[in-house]
Amino acid sequence: ARLRTMLARALARTSRVVPSAMATAVRAASSSAVAAPAAAAAAGAVPSWARNLSGQGAKGKVVLLYSGGLDTSCILLWLLEQGYDVHAYVANLGQEEDFEAAREKATKIGAAGVHIEDLREDFLTNYIYPSIQCNAMYENLYLLGTSIARPCISKRAVEIAKREGCDFVSHGATGKGNDQVRFELSMYALAPHLKMIVPWRDPSFFERFQGRSDLLAYAADNGLPVVQTKAKPYSMDENMFHISYEAGVLEDPANAPSDDMFRLTTNPEDAPDTPEYIAVTFDQGIPVKVENIAEGHERTIDNQLEAFLYLNEVAGRHGVGRVDVVENRFVGMKSRGIYETPAGEVLRTAHIGLEGLTLDREVFKLRDMYSAKFAEYCYNGFWFSPEMDFVLKAVKESQKNVSGRVVVKLFKGRASIHTRESPVSLYDKNIVSMDVAGGYNPADAEGFIRINSLRLKAHAAREKSLGRTL
């Protein structure tokens, strides 16, 4: 056991593979308890050093937020090298990914367990829909597609940690970004006892792996099943709500994105020359049915997940949902991000249109105020906080009469209101009509105006007495 520990520490100080003779010595030093894993490894199931250290867990158990990509595959290997038992956790949030390939890769590297979790329904119901009810938007442009996914991912990570008896959680977020904050604040709120292992903040990791080439060399030396591909000139995060693009060539706001970067949306200039009309039915602010009422495209979907995915498809076809943002990160720097959120753009547009019919004016103002706070708390990582709990409950109360049907026109990159109707509308065309009195006495406006002018007259008098003009 002492020999195994010494060899593990020696491995931690080098990024090169252990020579085969040393690997043989390590296997010889292995106890009978690991004889079976070593035999399986001899058939090529896992890399040599992972065969010897996986399953020992001298330092404890850790849940790793795993994607199957280069970074998290190397982190998995590195955690094993440090002496942890690793449970790799992959969250299915509707991204385009080969989940079984990720499972196989993590298993071959040496994960003690691999957890592929389908969170799409949870993500839609408990995170995306509340953001729609809030009309949430960070700094007037960003629909929070990455931000809102992090608490969803974190909650399931905590559940896995509790189920598997893990004391640690690890992730691959960098030390400059918002995601490290979002993941860790969420997990500390849900499970204060958990400890975080963050390789990209650990000098022993980031000084050893100073770029993609170092990670690729480490993977190759240790037999990681990572396919080397040409690096994209940007990074990307994808889920069913959106795709984000940032870093690389996009770090310069003067660089326009190339059209071949976008995956969810057509270039609006190349979108169809004929609009499509999508009807969205809401119940208490929640979309419950989607209908395509355009001639030749008629379709009705009342399954919420299917309807959302269909909206992504049809809105993306018309180039809806692109935005280019320079935003203020919570960690104190500005960053540039480009986002595609087709379904989110349609639903937000439709929801705002319906609220115009159904929300009381003063409730509307309060909901607007809470929308800004929702976006701030979500973006900054405070989903599981008392302030967010209060906002969610208040907004839910505001939505009890936001029910009805809105038809949205999709055309050349834009989603716009076509028609709207509600059985609980506050709009009364008889009162507002210029042709019908409707129980409204125009003479009443005189007193209303006179009363509201009192403070304005007082302000004007004071300014005049001080020699200032308005």
Side-chain angles (χ1 to χ4, degrees):
R2 286 195 296 272
L3 175 59
R4 290 173 56 77
T5 300
M6 292 170 63
L7 288 171
R9 289 174 178 169
L11 282 167
R13 291 193 294 268
T14 176
S15 63
R16 308 304 297 171
V17 67
V18 179
S20 58
M22 185 177 289
T24 302
V26 175
R27 287 195 293 274
S30 300
S31 68
S32 59
V34 295
V46 295
S48 59
W49 84 262
R51 294 199 294 268
N52 301 313
L53 299 181
S54 176
Q56 298 309 293
K59 291 186 177 179
K61 296 181 179 181
V62 55
V63 175
L64 170 64
L65 308 190
Y66 183 71
S67 70
L70 177 64
D71 282 34
T72 55
S73 292
C74 288
I75 289 172
L76 170 52
L77 198 62
W78 181 79
L79 288 168
L80 291 170
E81 182 182 280
Q82 304 306 305
Y84 294 97
D85 268 355
V86 183
H87 286 261
Y89 155 48
V90 183
N92 175 3
L93 296 176
Q95 68 271 32
E96 188 176 319
E97 188 171 324
D98 188 337
F99 295 103
E100 287 310 309
R103 182 194 303 276
E104 182 180 355
K105 185 182 297 183
T107 301
K108 285 183 176 180
I109 292 170
V114 183
H115 308 264
I116 311 292
E117 303 287 323
D118 188 347
L119 303 181
R120 292 175 299 169
E121 294 278 3
D122 179 40
F123 184 38
L124 181 64
T125 302
N126 296 314
Y127 300 88
I128 294 177
Y129 279 170
S131 78
I132 298 299
Q133 289 181 305
C134 283
N135 301 325
M137 183 177 280
Y138 182 71
E139 296 187 339
N140 302 314
L141 287 170
Y142 175 37
L143 291 176
L144 300 164
T146 293
S147 313
I148 208 165
R150 294 338 189 199
C152 180
I153 294 169
S154 299
K155 187 174 183 181
R156 185 57 58 91
V158 168
E159 292 170 1
I160 294 170
K162 290 179 178 178
R163 186 169 70 234
E164 299 297 334
C166 300
D167 292 321
F168 304 90
V169 175
S170 182
H171 61 76
T174 70
K176 282 189 175 182
N178 291 311
D179 280 345
Q180 58 178 338
V181 181
R182 295 164 182 156
F183 284 134
E184 294 175 44
L185 288 181
S186 293
M187 292 182 206
Y188 284 138
L190 295 168
H193 71 281
L194 285 176
K195 305 177 189 68
M196 299 295 149
I197 302 173
V198 187
W200 288 115
R201 297 201 306 255
D202 185 334
S204 69
F205 185 89
F206 67 70
E207 290 175 1
R208 180 178 175 184
F209 304 109
Q210 297 185 17
R212 182 179 172 84
S213 60
D214 289 340
L215 292 172
L216 285 169
Y218 179 63
D221 288 345
N222 289 282
L224 258 72
V226 174
V227 178
Q228 181 172 357
T229 59
K230 183 179 179 181
K232 295 185 180 70
Y234 49 82
S235 66
M236 187 176 74
D237 177 73
E238 178 185 5
N239 59 53
M240 60 189 275
F241 196 31
H242 89 157
I243 298 181
S244 69
Y245 310 89
E246 62 180 10
V249 297
L250 301 177
E251 288 178 347
D252 185 349
N255 288 337
S258 61
D259 194 53
D260 61 2
M261 180 185 77
F262 296 95
R263 298 179 57 184
L264 285 180
T265 58
T266 300
N267 186 331
E269 296 174 2
D270 300 325
D273 295 327
T274 302
E276 281 187 72
Y277 295 89
I278 301 295
V280 182
T281 300
F282 290 86
D283 181 22
Q284 297 186 35
I286 299 295
V288 294
K289 183 167 69 173
V290 168
E291 304 165 82
N292 191 329
I293 58 176
E295 186 175 353
H297 296 278
E298 294 88 347
R299 184 175 178 183
T300 300
I301 307 173
D302 53 16
N303 176 280
Q304 291 183 330
L305 179 57
E306 290 179 14
F308 189 88
L309 297 176
Y310 177 69
L311 277 179
N312 268 336
E313 175 191 331
V314 66
R317 184 163 65 236
H318 289 272
V320 171
R322 291 186 182 187
V323 65
D324 187 334
V325 181
V326 174
E327 67 201 53
N328 290 292
R329 284 183 179 173
F330 187 37
V331 293
M333 64 191 76
K334 288 186 180 290
S335 66
R336 194 262 191 104
I338 297 174
Y339 305 103
E340 295 179 279
T341 319
E345 180 70 21
V346 172
L347 291 176
R348 186 175 189 275
T349 298
H351 183 260
I352 290 173
L354 185 59
E355 281 191 328
L357 285 181
T358 58
L359 270 193
D360 171 79
R361 182 184 69 181
E362 297 306 314
V363 173
F364 195 104
K365 291 177 184 178
L366 288 169
R367 202 269 306 118
D368 259 0
M369 180 177 68
Y370 290 140
S371 294
K373 299 309 290 185
F374 175 100
E376 176 189 332
Y377 300 150
C378 179
Y379 187 87
N380 291 345
F382 291 95
W383 186 275
F384 299 107
S385 65
E387 59 268 33
M388 179 62 104
D389 186 49
F390 176 83
V391 166
L392 287 170
K393 289 176 180 176
V395 170
K396 184 177 180 180
E397 175 66 18
S398 78
Q399 299 294 295
K400 62 185 181 183
N401 290 316
V402 184
S403 301
R405 184 175 183 265
V406 181
V407 176
V408 179
K409 176 183 176 181
L410 308 177
F411 187 61
K412 297 291 185 182
R414 186 163 181 255
S416 57
I417 299 294
H418 186 61
T419 64
R420 73 209 91 181
E421 56 187 319
S422 171
V424 289
S425 174
L426 292 174
Y427 182 88
D428 188 331
K429 63 181 181 181
N430 289 326
I431 290 179
V432 79
S433 174
M434 295 296 182
D435 299 319
V436 180
Y440 178 82
N441 184 353
D444 292 342
E446 183 177 349
F448 175 79
I449 295 168
R450 190 164 52 247
I451 290 172
N452 277 280
S453 72
L454 289 176
R455 67 185 185 89
L456 303 180
K457 292 176 180 178
H459 173 61
R462 181 175 62 184
E463 294 300 291
K464 182 178 180 180
S465 71
L466 295 172
R468 297 194 292 249
T469 57
L470 296 177

